[in-house]
Amino acid sequence: MIYVVATTKVKPEHRAAYVAGAKDCIAETRKEKGCIAYDLHGSVSDPDTFVFVERWESHDDLAAHRLTPHLKAWRALSGPFKASPTNIEVIIGGEVQKLTS
């Protein structure tokens, strides 16, 4: 199993738009092959920080997800809402790989 934790700090004035825009991507991603869980959470200590927590059956499923039209659309939509790049941690077999988006 593969876990992904993607943390994003958004501009305060774009919090509502970020959450609203994420809904379509979340709904479509949950339909994908190999998606076990795909959820967005707001930080309890910082209202401008959001965390996607994902679980995938395989690396191939996660790789296919990265190429989907709905994820590409979400990245284009959410880009202007971000205060900084997204910190992405991919956890495979207990090892953490860091990416930035």
Side-chain angles (χ1 to χ4, degrees):
M1 185 174 317
I2 297 173
Y3 295 88
V4 178
V5 179
T7 306
T8 302
K9 181 122 175 140
V10 299
K11 299 171 188 169
E13 65 272 20
H14 294 300
R15 279 193 304 260
Y18 183 85
V19 172
K23 289 181 181 182
D24 287 338
C25 183
I26 292 167
E28 290 303 310
T29 298
R30 287 178 176 168
K31 298 175 190 175
E32 290 180 47
K33 176 186 174 300
C35 179
I36 299 168
Y38 196 87
D39 300 297
L40 178 64
H41 304 277
S43 169
V44 296
S45 61
D46 180 354
D48 300 330
T49 298
F50 292 89
V51 180
F52 275 98
V53 179
E54 311 170 28
R55 285 189 306 162
W56 295 91
E57 288 181 10
S58 73
H59 187 271
D60 289 342
D61 295 328
L62 176 57
H65 166 64
R66 291 179 177 152
L67 302 175
T68 59
H70 56 270
L71 184 61
K72 290 178 182 180
W74 166 241
R75 285 181 175 158
L77 175 73
S78 66
F81 302 153
K82 296 178 183 182
S84 60
T86 299
N87 179 45
I88 302 171
E89 296 177 316
V90 180
I91 305 162
I92 303 171
E95 289 189 23
V96 178
Q97 303 169 4
K98 289 192 158 230
L99 308 170
T100 301
S101 163

